[in-house]
């Protein structure tokens, strides 16, 4: 088996070992054919449906349907094996799969899934990046509970975390809030973490100047649904007063900007939406902002066991 066959086999094997046999292959290009071959020949399982909009009206395969056909049938309880790599069409295909996701589980067969690709995302028996694993788990709940709204990240830097948000929520608008030029001069006054930054961050010093909009977008790789809000927050939030959000990441490292982010986003979160606040344990300003905000609105938070012990706030249903 080649690299892609081995990658798909690990994921399919996991589901088969759990007793699952109801699979939808989508779409039916070269990668879809790889998945079909694995299911049929290696595991003796015939896929229930193949979904491909381009082939549905011209193919004689009896179980090959379009997205519209599947929506009209309304069948649930299937594992949708998304057979696509992260090329230019991924964003479109993932969005189409989301249309039939209610009651079904979408699994990226060839993409880096934190929950299923153990060889790439486990190290010495533990996840390499628990925050990304938690993101994927929360996004699954967002889709399962039909939580509406856009996604956003406040404090993007080079887009390392934003790219996972874009990958997992390609059908949602993703707002990127950052100066993309490091900390604004207005952040220097009362900066309770300046010494930590100066000692810890070599690239650009404590100001995080080693980035740009172009660098971030290149790292993210999904531009169709990304809206850049370059500048000083909360000034860059103007015009979004009526927007609703399903997921927000706040990674600004400072008390005032973290507090501003929580004050702006939380009232606009849809019920069941999530806010991740990075560096909760490491930076005292961030921790203070979370303590004060959660106390003022009467909402709880939980700590993730990631390196920086991020805080997660959930908007109650």
């Amino acid at each position: 088996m080649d690299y892609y066959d081995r990658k798909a086999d690990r994921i399919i094997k996991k589901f088969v070992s759990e007793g699952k046999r109801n699979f939808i292959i989508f779409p039916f290009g070269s990668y879809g054919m790889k998945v079909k071959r694995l299911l049929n020949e290696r595991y003796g399982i015939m896929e229930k449906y193949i979904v491909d909009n381009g082939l549905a009206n011209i193919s004689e395969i009896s179980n090959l349907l379009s997205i519209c056909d599947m929506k009209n049938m309304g069948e649930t309880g299937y594992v949708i094996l998304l057979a696509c790599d992260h090329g230019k069409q991924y964003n479109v295909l993932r969005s189409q799969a989301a249309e039939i996701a209610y009651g079904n589980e979408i699994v990226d067969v060839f993409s880096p899934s934190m929950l299923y690709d153990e060889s790439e995302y486990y190290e010495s028996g533990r996840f390499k990046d628990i925050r990304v694993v938690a993101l994927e788990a929360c996004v699954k709940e967002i889709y399962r509970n039909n939580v509406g709204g856009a996604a956003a990240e406040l404090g993007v830097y080079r887009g390392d975390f934003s790219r996972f948000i874009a990958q997992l929520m390609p059908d949602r608008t993703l707002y990127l809030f950052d100066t993309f030029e490091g900390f604004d001069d207005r952040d220097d006054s009362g900066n309770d973490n300046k010494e930590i930054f100066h000692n810890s961050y070599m690239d650009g010093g404590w100001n995080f100047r080693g980035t740009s909009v172009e660098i971030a977008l290149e790292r993210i790789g999904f531009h169709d649904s990304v809206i850049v809000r370059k500048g000083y927050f909360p000034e860059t939030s103007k015009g979004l007063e009526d927007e609703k959000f399903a997921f927000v990441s706040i990674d600004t490292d400072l008390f005032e900007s973290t507090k501003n982010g929580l004050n702006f986003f939380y009232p606009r979160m849809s019920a069941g939406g999530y806010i991740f606040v990075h560096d909760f344990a490491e930076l005292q300003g961030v921790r203070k902002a979370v303590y004060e905000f959660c106390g003022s609105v009467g909402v709880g938070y939980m700590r993730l066991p990631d390196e920086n012990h991020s805080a997660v706030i959930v908007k109650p249903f």
Side-chain angles (χ1 to χ4, degrees), residues 7 15 18 50 67 82 99 122 142 153 155 163 166 204 271 305:
K7 197 176 185 72
F15 284 108
E18 294 172 351
I50 300 170
I67 289 286
L82 183 58
E99 296 181 34
Y122 279 87
I142 286 171
E153 180 158 51
R163 73 187 178 96

Side-chain angles (χ1 to χ4, degrees), residues 80-234:
I80 302 172
L81 300 174
L82 183 58
C84 175
D85 68 359
H86 279 191
K88 293 181 179 179
Q89 291 300 310
Y90 176 83
N91 188 32
V92 173
L93 292 171
R94 177 74 193 222
S95 298
Q96 290 176 349
E99 296 181 34
I100 57 173
Y102 185 74
N104 298 307
E105 184 172 7
I106 302 175
V107 178
D108 291 344
V109 180
F110 298 109
S111 68
S113 169
M114 297 298 155
L115 296 181
Y116 298 107
D117 200 344
E118 299 183 5
S119 68
E120 295 185 21
Y121 291 98
Y122 279 87
E123 184 175 58
S124 301
R126 64 185 294 274
F127 287 113
K128 293 181 181 179
D129 193 336
I130 292 174
R131 184 167 62 130
V132 181
V133 176
L135 168 66
E136 183 166 12
C138 289
V139 168
K140 284 178 177 290
E141 295 305 309
I142 286 171
Y143 283 104
R144 182 175 290 115
N145 294 316
N146 288 325
V147 178
E153 180 158 51
L154 172 57
V156 176
Y157 191 41
R158 292 181 170 181
D160 292 301
F161 193 61
S162 298
R163 73 187 178 96
F164 290 109
I165 303 173
Q167 171 188 318
L168 292 167
M169 305 181 73
D171 57 321
R172 310 294 180 100
T173 299
L174 172 58
Y175 293 97
L176 304 180
F177 296 90
D178 203 301
T179 65
F180 296 98
E181 296 175 354
F183 288 135
D184 189 280
D185 291 339
R186 286 168 283 187
D187 291 321
D188 196 26
S189 177
N191 182 353
D192 48 6
N193 300 314
K194 183 173 181 178
E195 183 177 353
I196 294 176
F197 295 141
H198 181 72
N199 293 333
S200 301
Y201 298 100
M202 301 299 293
D203 187 4
W206 70 274
N207 280 310
F208 294 98
R209 298 192 187 281
T211 187
S212 66
V213 171
E214 292 72 24
I215 288 174
L217 290 179
E218 179 66 25
R219 185 70 57 89
I220 293 167
F222 304 95
H223 300 171
D224 291 345
S225 58
V226 173
I227 297 177
V228 175
R229 288 279 181 141
K230 184 177 186 296
Y232 190 69
F233 188 89

Side-chain angles (χ1 to χ4, degrees), residues 21-39:
R21 302 183 68 85
N22 292 329
F23 296 99
I24 296 172
I25 300 174
F26 172 73
F28 199 51
S30 58
Y31 290 114
M33 293 178 185
K34 287 178 179 287
V35 172
K36 179 176 172 59
R37 186 175 66 251
L38 282 170
L39 278 176

